[in-house]
Amino acid sequence: MKNVFKLKNVSRISLDKHGDWVQFFIATDRRDQLQRASSIALLPESFLVSGERREQGIIASKKDGYGFLKCVEREPKIFFRYCEVLDVDREINVNDEVEFTVVQDSTLSFNAYSRQSAIRIQHLPPGTVQFEIVQERNVTGVVSKEAPNSWLPRSPTKIISNNQNQECGTISYQINGIKKTINYYAKDCDPKCAPHVGDKVEFSVCQVKRNKEIIALDIIILKSQNQHFNSTKNGITNQPVCQGFIAALKDGFGFIEAMSHNREVFFRFCNYEGDSDTLELGMEVEYVVGGKASSGSCISAEMVRTLPAGTINLGVTIGDDILEGKVVRPLRSVNPDQNEYAGLIKTNAEDENGAEYEFGITSLANKRELLQVKDSVQFQVDSNGRAANVVAIRKKRKATVDAIKGAFGFLAYEVDDGKKLFYHTSEVKDGVQLQQGDTVEFVLMYNHRTGKSSACNVTKVSPEKEQRPERLVSRLRTISLEDGGPKLTVARQPRGPDGTKGFATDMRMPRIAGVLVE
C-alpha cells in the first residue's frame, strides 16, 4: 500500500527536515507486527514550504563517492557526496543539471570554500540551468581585438575559476547610433572557427549571473576579413594545389607536413572543408597556400580538404631489414623550440658512429606516437634513406582509474609534485569506456610543448581471477583432522521422502520443534 502524508518531526540525516513533505510505504514488521514507514522519498513540495535557499548548477566533476558542482551564482566549486542526491536510482554524470542547498560542512577542513557543501540535490531537466541572462540577441559588430587562444592544449588540471584570469577580446558595435564595445572570451567561442580582427560577427549581449559582467556569447562569424582578403587580393583560387599529411592537431588549428617532409604548414579548422572532429594524424590532405600565419613563423593553408587514403604516392620502397636505434631529435610538433622540423634516429652501435635517419609523421607506424629524445625504437629504411614503420619500445606501467572528468581521466599514479597522471579518452585503445576502479596499462609520456606528463596507449586490463592469499593456502595445508574442536560429519546426502533429491510440497510432514522424526 502506498500513501502520501505530511509528516511532522521527521528526522533522517540531511534529506528530511522538520515539516518536510515525504512519500513512503507503510510496512508491517513481522517480528512485532508494528507498522513503520519505509522507502521514504522527499517530495518537491518540501522546498516550497521549508524556506531554504535553493541554488542551481551542473556537476563539474565526480570521483569515488563524491564530486564538485559548478554553481550559477558562486565562483568556487561546491563539494557534494553521492548520498545527498535524492534520486538514488539515477546515475550521476558530469554536466547533469541540478538544484541544491548549500550548508557549512564541519567535516571538511581544507579551506573556507571547501567547508561549504551541497545537500538535498535534485536533478533538473536539461536546459533549465542558465549561467547568463540574455539582454539582447542578434547584435552585429566587428572584432577590434582578438581574444588570445593559447596554442597549448587545455589541461584538465588547470581550472580557471573566473573570466578575470583570462585575457579577453573586444567587439565594437552600435546600438541606436551609440558606439559601444563588449568583451568576449576564447573559451566561449567555437574552437573550430574562432573570430579574428576585422571579422564581422553576430552575438548576444549577456550578463553573467555570478559576477554581473556583461560579455558577448553565441558568437557567429558573418564575414571573415581574412578569407575575403585572400580570395580577392591574393587570387587564392589561382594558387597551385599542394598535398601533405596532417602532422599535429591542437585547439582550433593544426599543422600539415609538406611533401618535402622538412617543414610544416599551419591551418585553422575554419579553413578545413568538412567536420574537423573527423581529422586524424597522418591523414592525406590537399590545400592552397595563403599568407603567413599569425605567429609569422610558417605559411598558412587555406581550403584544406582530405583525400582518400592512398591518393598520395610517395614513390618509395621499404627495405626488409629491421634496425634498432634511439631518438636523438623529436619532431618539432613535440619540441617546438628546435629549428628542424624532422626528427632524427641514430642506430645502436658499439661505438658512437651509428647511422642517422630522419623521420616525419608518415614514418610512424602509430601516428599518435609522441617520440621523445632517448626513446628506443625499431624501424626500417626506405629508398630515400628515411626511417619508415617506426615503432617505439617503451615500458608498460599499470595503475587504476581514480576519476573521470569529461574527456579526461585521472589515474592513481602520481607525477609532477604529487599530481595525478591524466589521460585523454582518445588515448584509450579500441574506444573502451573506462570506469572508476578499472585497472589499465599505459605508457608515460612527457610533452615538451605543455611541460606536463600524460598517459598514452591506455589499455584496460581484464580482471584476473582472485587467488587465495598464499598464507591462507599454507594454513589450509597444515590443518590436521586430528585437531581438537567441534567437527561436522556427513551421515548421509540430502534426500527427499520419495527418494529424490528434492522435497515436494505435498510430501512435507508437520513435526514438533526439537523432536527428531524416526
Side-chain angles (χ1 to χ4, degrees):
M1 183 173 63
K2 189 175 184 179
N3 297 278
V4 179
F5 296 91
K6 182 178 180 182
L7 299 186
K8 294 291 185 180
N9 300 321
V10 175
S11 177
R12 187 167 68 91
I13 57 175
S14 61
L15 295 181
D16 301 312
K17 295 183 178 181
H18 179 84
D20 278 345
W21 286 78
V22 295
Q23 177 177 280
F24 62 96
F25 287 93
I26 295 179
T28 302
D29 195 323
R30 293 180 179 180
R31 296 168 297 182
D32 53 17
Q33 303 302 314
L34 295 179
Q35 289 187 336
R36 293 180 172 85
S38 64
S39 302
I40 303 174
L42 196 65
L43 293 177
E45 289 85 344
S46 297
F47 304 125
L48 300 178
V49 298
S50 64
E52 60 190 286
R53 183 173 179 266
R54 302 287 286 173
E55 300 186 31
Q56 293 183 347
I58 62 173
I59 297 178
S61 62
K62 63 175 187 175
K63 296 191 177 182
D64 188 11
Y66 67 95
F68 293 89
L69 303 176
K70 180 182 178 182
C71 306
V72 171
E73 300 179 0
R74 297 172 184 261
E75 292 287 356
K77 290 181 171 56
I78 301 297
F79 173 87
F80 78 96
R81 296 183 177 87
Y82 287 1
C83 61
E84 293 293 347
V85 179
L86 298 182
D87 190 349
V88 295
D89 297 325
R90 178 163 179 167
E91 182 180 0
I92 301 174
N93 296 312
V94 175
N95 293 327
D96 281 355
E97 300 184 15
V98 293
E99 186 179 62
F100 51 91
T101 301
V102 177
V103 297
Q104 292 296 120
D105 192 340
S106 59
T107 62
L108 300 177
S109 59
F110 304 127
N111 52 53
Y113 291 147
S114 297
R115 294 185 65 85
Q116 292 181 326
S117 64
I119 63 172
R120 299 158 68 91
I121 301 173
Q122 182 182 26
H123 277 80
L124 299 175
T128 303
V129 177
Q130 300 293 330
F131 289 88
E132 301 86 15
I133 301 174
V134 179
Q135 296 182 342
E136 293 187 64
R137 298 184 184 272
N138 303 325
V139 181
T140 58
V142 177
V143 177
S144 55
K145 178 185 175 183
E146 184 175 338
N149 185 14
S150 175
W151 282 24
L152 305 182
R154 297 172 183 171
S155 168
T157 59
K158 184 178 181 181
I159 303 175
I160 299 176
S161 60
N162 54 65
N163 288 336
Q164 294 179 353
N165 294 336
Q166 305 176 73
E167 189 174 350
C168 62
T170 305
I171 299 175
S172 301
Y173 66 104
Q174 287 188 2
I175 292 184
N176 300 325
I178 302 175
K179 293 183 179 181
K180 296 184 178 182
T181 60
I182 189 172
N183 295 334
Y184 77 95
Y185 296 89
K187 69 178 184 63
D188 298 323
C189 301
D190 185 357
K192 304 174 186 176
C193 193
H196 304 289
V197 174
D199 289 353
K200 184 178 181 181
V201 296
E202 183 180 84
F203 60 94
S204 298
V205 178
C206 303
Q207 183 185 55
V208 182
K209 290 183 179 180
R210 64 177 180 271
N211 56 16
K212 310 304 180 184
E213 181 184 9
I214 304 297
I215 61 173
L217 292 178
D218 305 325
I219 301 173
I220 301 175
I221 300 177
L222 300 178
K223 185 177 181 180
S224 175
Q225 181 69 16
N226 291 335
Q227 290 179 353
H228 175 74
F229 176 81
N230 288 332
S231 61
T232 58
K233 295 188 178 182
N234 290 347
I236 194 170
T237 55
N238 298 324
Q239 293 289 332
V241 178
C242 303
Q243 294 180 333
F245 306 86
I246 300 295
L249 295 172
K250 307 298 180 182
D251 286 347
F253 65 94
F255 293 92
I256 301 171
E257 181 179 300
M259 290 295 294
S260 61
H261 304 294
N262 60 2
R263 64 185 179 91
E264 72 268 70
V265 180
F266 173 86
F267 77 98
R268 295 187 183 276
F269 287 176
C270 58
N271 292 324
Y272 170 65
E273 298 182 0
D275 184 3
S276 59
D277 291 336
T278 62
L279 289 175
E280 295 181 3
L281 295 177
M283 271 187 169
E284 301 176 16
V285 294
E286 66 178 11
Y287 59 94
V288 293
V289 177
K292 285 280 187 179
S294 58
S295 63
S297 59
C298 63
I299 61 175
S300 62
E302 308 282 352
M303 300 174 63
V304 182
R305 61 174 66 93
T306 55
L307 299 173
T311 301
I312 300 178
N313 183 13
L314 296 177
V316 296
T317 57
I318 299 176
D320 296 330
D321 295 337
I322 298 178
L323 306 179
E324 293 186 353
K326 289 188 176 181
V327 177
V328 295
R329 185 180 71 216
L331 292 173
R332 186 155 58 192
S333 59
V334 177
N335 182 16
D337 296 330
Q338 67 186 37
N339 295 324
E340 301 84 357
Y341 165 74
L344 190 66
I345 298 174
K346 187 175 183 179
T347 57
N348 296 331
E350 295 181 358
D351 55 14
E352 298 182 357
N353 298 324
E356 295 181 344
Y357 301 92
E358 288 189 341
F359 70 93
I361 191 67
T362 57
S363 305
L364 303 179
N366 179 9
K367 310 302 182 187
R368 299 186 64 87
E369 200 76 72
L370 295 175
L371 294 180
Q372 311 281 339
V373 176
K374 297 182 179 181
D375 277 351
S376 298
V377 295
Q378 288 183 340
F379 65 98
Q380 296 168 284
V381 180
D382 63 23
S383 55
N384 289 337
R386 293 174 56 85
N389 297 329
V390 181
V391 178
I393 305 174
R394 290 197 178 98
K395 177 183 176 182
K396 286 277 188 178
R397 305 169 190 265
K398 188 178 290 188
T400 58
V401 178
D402 182 68
I404 299 175
K405 181 180 177 183
F408 294 92
F410 294 85
L411 303 178
Y413 189 95
E414 294 186 354
V415 292
D416 302 334
D417 299 330
K419 295 181 180 179
K420 296 293 179 69
L421 184 69
F422 76 91
Y423 67 89
H424 195 273
T425 52
S426 61
E427 291 291 346
V428 181
K429 188 176 180 180
D430 300 329
V432 176
Q433 296 292 331
L434 297 178
Q435 302 294 331
Q436 293 176 358
D438 286 347
T439 302
V440 296
E441 286 185 340
F442 62 95
V443 173
L444 182 63
M445 297 292 300
Y446 178 79
N447 194 323
H448 287 275
R449 185 180 290 272
T450 62
K452 294 183 177 293
S453 299
S454 64
C456 297
N457 300 333
V458 182
T459 306
K460 183 178 179 180
V461 178
S462 300
E464 299 179 358
K465 186 176 180 180
E466 188 173 351
Q467 301 291 335
R468 285 183 172 181
E470 183 61 29
R471 56 183 178 81
L472 178 59
V473 175
S474 300
R475 172 62 179 163
L476 292 176
R477 289 173 181 170
T478 58
I479 291 178
S480 172
L481 295 178
E482 301 301 326
D483 293 343
K487 295 183 177 62
L488 179 65
T489 303
V490 178
R492 65 176 177 86
Q493 296 297 327
R495 186 180 60 180
D498 57 352
T500 63
K501 294 183 178 180
F503 292 85
T505 306
D506 56 351
M507 297 295 293
R508 297 178 180 175
M509 299 176 59
R511 65 180 181 86
I512 302 174
V515 178
L516 296 176
V517 179
E518 297 293 337

